[in-house]
Structure formats: structure tokens, C-alpha cells
Amino acid sequence: KITLGDDILIICKNNYYKDAVELLNKEIIKKEREVERFKNESDLKTQFIYNISHDLKTPLTNIKGFSTLLLNEEFGNLNEEQKSYIKIIIDESERLMQLITQILDVAKLSSGKIKLDLQKVNFQDIKNNPSIKALEEMATKKGLFFVFNIDYDVPEIIADPNRLIQIFVNLISNAIKFTDKGGITIHISKKNKNVKVEVIDTGIGISKEDKAKLFKRFYQVNKTRNEKTGTGLGLSIVKGLVNLHGGRIGVNSEPGKGSNFYFIIPINGPKSKKKVKE
């Protein structure tokens, strides 16, 4: 039997739940607005960085171009000291151009503006690419061996060849940079419906602490070495490009025992791939 007191209690409870729901809805709306505001601010920052970096490329290209003309003595003869100074200008311009390119790639990855140009890719073509050959020569000049092995059963894959070269160049150049003796081995193998690429070096290795942060933006390993420091963006970009291909990247390493950077990508390309160019 329900009494008057029970009716009052039920009404109070209903009002309490109604107020609680309204309060919760208000909090949800508030948080959604905050998320949208942060997203808009992040998008604006990304667009700003993209625009500034893009605008810097034109004057920098002009600086490098005119410096090259000077070095080639198109405007008159130069002595050896003058040539050495101009070479420094060209080298530093190239470094700055690489930095700007990396910043542009980060901005594009953040905003989803990088679109893969998917084609059939043969790893033998990757092996013979001029950029890879230049790295092989760099390793040889440093006194390192350089081995590029492709297993017999590795098929053609669906990928963006230019972005794939970018991944290879970053991983191999890092391996050369942090290897003083021994050498570099690139091994490509077939793993079920995927291809696995390994860049193995006999270098200084990576600590457990560094491995945990390795693929984060702006993180630099072994800052105490004498080489020119990078931006800390290279491996972050590599990870983003591997992810775009529907793959994953990782590293096995111990201090003093070298490193094995590897990435695995599907043979048939990312699931949401567009029409493939023959």
C-alpha cells in the first residue's frame, strides 16, 4: 500500500534524476565545445605552419640556385676560399630545405593532406634507386659494408614509390649516422600477406628509455654525438607514412649491440586504396 509519503519520495527522486540528467547534458555540451575549440586551434596552427614553411621554399630555392651559379663561375672567376664559402651556403641551404620539407610533411600528416600515389612497386627498383645508391656510397666512404638483400619470393606490392623511398632513405641514413664500424644490412622478406623490411646496423644501439620515445615528434636520440643534430621529426614522419600504407613500424635494439628498424606493410596496399596505376 502506497502512502502519501511514498508519493512525495517518488516525486523527489524523479526530480533529482531529471536535474542530474540535465546537468550531465550541460557538461557534455560544454566538453564538446571545448574539444571543437581545441581542434579548431590545432587546425589553425597546422595551417599556419604549413603556409609559412611553404612560403620559405621559394626564397630558399633562389638562394641555392644563385649560389650554385656563383660556384660554377657563371658570373666570374672565384678563388678557392670564395668557393669554399659558397659551398657552405649551398650545404646549409640544403639542410634548411630538408627541414622545411619535414615540417611540411608533419603538417600534411596532421591535417590528413598527404595522399598516396599508389602504384605497383618492385623492390629491385628501390634497391637501384639513385638515392639508395648515394647512401651506399656514403656508407662505403665511411668504411662500412652495405648489403641489400631481397628474398626470392618477395612480390611486387601496391605502394607509393616516392614515399617508400623516403622511408628507406630516412632509416638507412640514420643507420649510417650512428654506425662507426661494421655496416648496414637491408633485408626484405615476405610474411604471409605482408612484406617486412628490416634495416639492421652494427651501431651504438638504443636504450630502453629512448626506444619508448623514438617515434615521437622532436625527440632526438644521442644528442651528445658530434654529428649535426636533426629535427627529431624524421622517424615520426616515417611512422606516419608507414601507417598510411596500412602497416606498422618498430625497432629492436640494445646499447652497444646495434639496431634493427623494421616496418611491415601489406602486399596489396592499404584497405582504402584508390585505383592503382599500372
Side-chain angles (χ1 to χ4, degrees):
K1 186 177 180 181
I2 300 177
T3 65
L4 181 60
D6 293 328
D7 290 338
I8 294 173
L9 183 61
I10 291 171
I11 292 171
C12 289
K13 284 184 178 180
N14 288 339
N15 287 335
Y16 171 79
Y17 290 132
K18 183 180 178 181
D19 291 343
V21 170
E22 288 180 356
L23 183 62
L24 184 59
N25 285 333
K26 287 180 180 179
E27 283 297 316
I28 291 173
I29 292 170
K30 181 181 176 182
K31 295 299 180 185
E32 287 176 345
R33 287 174 178 170
E34 288 180 359
V35 169
E36 186 65 25
R37 178 169 59 84
F38 290 141
K39 181 179 182 300
N40 290 338
E41 288 178 359
S42 178
D43 290 343
L44 285 172
K45 288 177 183 177
T46 299
Q47 190 62 44
F48 175 77
I49 292 171
Y50 178 84
N51 290 341
I52 291 295
S53 300
H54 190 271
D55 290 343
L56 284 172
K57 291 186 75 173
T58 299
L60 188 58
T61 300
N62 291 336
I63 291 170
K64 185 179 176 183
F66 281 108
S67 297
T68 302
L69 290 175
L70 285 170
L71 185 62
N72 293 337
E73 299 184 327
E74 296 289 339
F75 306 121
N77 296 331
L78 300 172
N79 59 44
E80 290 304 314
E81 184 178 12
Q82 290 170 329
K83 286 182 179 180
S84 67
Y85 292 150
I86 293 174
K87 285 180 182 177
I88 292 173
I89 294 172
I90 293 173
D91 289 343
E92 293 303 308
S93 296
E94 183 61 35
R95 284 187 65 221
L96 189 53
M97 184 66 79
Q98 290 176 359
L99 169 60
I100 291 171
T101 300
Q102 285 187 331
I103 293 172
L104 283 171
D105 279 341
V106 168
K108 288 177 182 178
L109 283 167
S110 298
S111 60
K113 289 185 177 180
I114 287 187
K115 305 299 180 185
L116 297 179
D117 181 19
L118 297 174
Q119 305 176 29
K120 289 183 178 179
V121 178
N122 189 312
F123 279 103
Q124 194 64 42
D125 294 333
I126 299 289
K127 179 179 180 179
N128 295 324
N129 184 275
S131 295
I132 304 300
K133 290 298 182 182
L135 289 171
E136 181 177 1
E137 184 178 351
M138 183 189 300
T140 302
K141 285 182 178 179
K142 196 175 178 181
L144 306 173
F145 67 76
F146 188 93
V147 179
F148 199 121
N149 286 329
I150 307 170
D151 287 357
Y152 73 94
D153 60 342
V154 173
E156 288 184 332
I157 67 168
I158 304 301
D160 184 327
N162 292 323
R163 293 301 183 179
L164 207 54
I165 287 293
Q166 185 177 354
I167 294 169
F168 271 87
V169 167
N170 188 285
L171 295 179
I172 296 171
S173 59
N174 276 351
I176 295 171
K177 179 178 180 180
F178 294 109
T179 302
D180 295 325
K181 59 182 180 179
I184 317 297
T185 300
I186 297 95
H187 181 218
I188 303 175
S189 57
K190 182 176 180 291
K191 302 292 182 184
N192 298 319
K193 295 181 180 180
N194 303 302
V195 166
K196 182 177 184 180
V197 177
E198 298 172 273
V199 178
I200 307 162
D201 65 60
T202 57
I204 60 176
I206 304 168
S207 68
K208 186 177 180 180
E209 179 184 358
D210 282 330
K211 279 195 295 183
K213 305 174 184 176
L214 203 55
F215 296 101
K216 293 184 177 181
R217 293 176 189 172
F218 304 109
Y219 188 77
Q220 297 179 19
V221 180
N222 296 300
K223 301 175 186 176
T224 58
R225 285 173 65 91
N226 293 325
E227 291 93 343
K228 292 178 179 178
T229 57
T231 59
L233 292 173
L235 287 176
S236 171
I237 293 170
V238 165
K239 182 179 179 180
L241 294 176
V242 170
N243 289 343
L244 276 180
H245 280 85
R248 60 185 178 87
I249 189 169
V251 59
N252 296 314
S253 182
E254 291 183 37
K257 295 185 179 181
S259 302
N260 179 350
F261 281 85
Y262 64 88
F263 64 93
I264 299 170
I265 55 176
I267 293 171
N268 294 322
K271 290 182 180 180
S272 59
K273 63 180 181 292
K274 296 181 180 179
K275 185 177 179 181
V276 176
K277 295 180 181 180
E278 296 294 336

